[in-house]
Amino acid sequence: MRYLEIAVPEGARGPVLDILEDEGIDYVVSDETSGRGYTAVVRFPLPTRAVEHVLDRLNRAGIGDETRVVVVDAETVISQQFEDLLEQYSQGGTKGARTSRQVLRTKADELTPVFSIYVTMLLISAVVATVGLLADSPAVVVGSMVIAPLIGPALAANVGIVTGDDDLKRTGFVYQASGLMIVVAASIGLATLGRLAGLEPGGVDIVVVAELQERVSPNLLSLAVALGAGVAGILSLTRGFSEAIVGVMIAAALIPPAAAVGITVAWGMYGAAMGAAILVAVNVLSINLAALATLWVAGYRPQGLFDVSPTRKQTYTYAAIFGIGLLVLAAPLASITVLDFQTTQLSSSANEEIDSALEEAEYETLEVESVEVRLDDDYPIRSVDRIVVTASGDDPGQIPELTDRIHDAVTDHTDEGVVLEVRFIIATERGDDVDDELEYRSRTVTTGSHTSFQVC
């Protein structure tokens, strides 16, 4: 429920009271004597769902943005006339009542903090995210998402678009762009200091860190997080759910990838940095497109005769920009997704061929320890580099034939030649005195341009 107080300008008293009577609203009116151009002050309670409809009607009667309108929450209203009005608008229940367009703009603006606070919180979030990625700590990365104030700008921009509030729209986009640049710059600085200090987890190839690897070579599944965050963000704003929880989801789509950009730039891995940057851009576009579409479908747009057309055109324009940009940038993600399927297929094919071969009597002494499909380091769109099979037994002479057989079978499932590397482990007793000790011998043999095996 809401309680409204409206200062009625001169010449609008009659039309305003006629609208309230027509709507069946229980109101109180008092004369305004301040001499500020108002003739009366009218106060009345409304069901939440009725606020937008009534304010739109009053707007056409002369209650515009320049008029003072106060909307506050009401705990209880005891009035039979209000009960009738509540029944009219509740349609059998009041749960999940839609926030009015006017209140929506206020809530979106309130979720956008003062710029100095916004920058400070993002700097802290960037530091925490960078440390979490370098330390390969999911818990620390999650902590960086909790403190990032990104939900306000993401929602404010799109609320401004569909409601025709240019200031709110401009603020939202400026905050989004500047916020991501702040996170990237802070991550570059901190990662550079870490590298100079010798903090290189996993060696020179920094992206072997699991928390980083999934963000420098993203696939199409990454879109689901960002699209869901955009929809959930608008629903939390319009239906009264927890914005804090949804804010974490939005930050999850933006903060870690932006920090990954900074880390990979600091390490000079510009291909990996491009992959992370593509993910950031795709997520930003996805969040904004999902939020914009959700707002428009929910009906948050000016209803006046002269406001609908310009705002609709603006909404379609931004939707087209977001959609086209998303399609263009999603192409690399589609390629990575195809590669993921190909990697899975190659791994499955190799396992099937090995299992089939080992069922034969000549290979009964062999045992496969692992099968691994390895990709190259050409980020962000990588390709299959080799398949590494680790086997064990007591006769390495069987391996060349088995290696060629597996290679021929695997290449039937791919258009490109695949390098197959078989590592063979031989365990032999060192001597009678130490029967439980094993001797390990190592050598590498190349059996062709596409296959090799290593005995150890």
Side-chain angles (χ1 to χ4, degrees), residues 156-165 169 173 292 311 314-315 318 322:
N158 296 284
V159 170
I161 291 173
V162 299
T163 61
D165 191 329
K169 175 187 68 177
F173 283 131
L292 186 60
T311 306
Q314 176 177 256
T315 303
Y318 277 97
F322 296 153

Side-chain angles (χ1 to χ4, degrees), residues 6 8 13 16-17 20 26-32 39-44:
I6 300 176
V8 181
R13 177 168 179 161
V16 167
L17 297 183
L20 298 182
D26 189 7
Y27 66 89
V28 174
V29 62
S30 58
D31 293 333
E32 169 61 47
T39 184
V41 175
V42 61
R43 303 175 181 87
F44 52 92

Side-chain angles (χ1 to χ4, degrees), residues 53-71:
H53 168 69
V54 172
L55 287 180
D56 283 336
R57 289 197 64 183
L58 292 175
N59 180 267
R60 293 191 289 270
I63 306 300
D65 293 338
E66 70 282 355
T67 305
R68 188 184 74 221
V69 178
V70 180
V71 182

Side-chain angles (χ1 to χ4, degrees), residues 29-257:
V29 62
S30 58
D31 293 333
E32 169 61 47
T33 59
S34 65
R36 297 180 180 178
Y38 299 112
T39 184
V41 175
V42 61
R43 303 175 181 87
F44 52 92
L46 276 180
T48 301
R49 291 179 177 176
V51 173
E52 187 171 8
H53 168 69
V54 172
L55 287 180
D56 283 336
R57 289 197 64 183
L58 292 175
N59 180 267
R60 293 191 289 270
I63 306 300
D65 293 338
E66 70 282 355
T67 305
R68 188 184 74 221
V69 178
V70 180
V71 182
V72 298
D73 289 332
E75 293 291 336
T76 304
V77 177
I78 302 176
S79 167
Q80 184 58 50
Q81 192 169 355
F82 179 80
E83 291 295 330
D84 296 339
L85 194 64
L86 184 61
E87 180 64 26
Q88 175 186 342
Y89 281 95
S90 66
Q91 297 178 353
T94 59
K95 292 183 178 180
R98 195 190 83 158
T99 301
S100 68
R101 190 179 70 255
Q102 294 79 5
V103 174
L104 181 67
R105 287 192 294 185
T106 302
K107 292 179 67 175
D109 186 58
E110 289 175 349
L111 284 174
T112 305
V114 177
F115 192 72
S116 58
I117 300 297
Y118 180 69
V119 171
T120 302
M121 294 298 291
L122 279 181
L123 285 174
I124 297 173
S125 179
V127 170
V128 175
T130 303
V131 171
L133 291 174
L134 289 174
D136 198 18
S137 173
V140 177
V141 175
V142 170
S144 70
M145 306 171 192
V146 174
I147 60 178
L150 292 177
I151 184 172
L155 303 185
N158 296 284
V159 170
I161 291 173
V162 299
T163 61
D165 191 329
D166 292 335
D167 289 338
L168 192 61
K169 175 187 68 177
R170 189 180 306 108
T171 299
F173 283 131
V174 169
Y175 269 57
Q176 287 185 68
S178 59
L180 291 174
M181 288 190 290
I182 289 169
V183 173
V184 172
S187 298
I188 291 175
L190 184 60
T192 300
L193 292 176
R195 187 180 185 188
L196 293 176
L199 302 178
E200 297 188 2
V204 177
D205 188 4
I206 188 68
V207 295
V208 299
V209 177
E211 285 293 314
L212 269 172
Q213 195 170 46
E214 65 187 51
R215 293 177 171 94
V216 299
S217 187
N219 57 32
L220 285 175
L221 295 178
S222 305
L223 286 173
V225 176
L227 291 171
V231 175
I234 291 301
L235 291 179
S236 70
L237 193 64
T238 60
R239 301 293 177 172
F241 303 133
S242 174
E243 290 92 358
I245 296 176
V246 179
V248 174
M249 189 175 181
I250 291 178
L254 299 177
I255 293 297

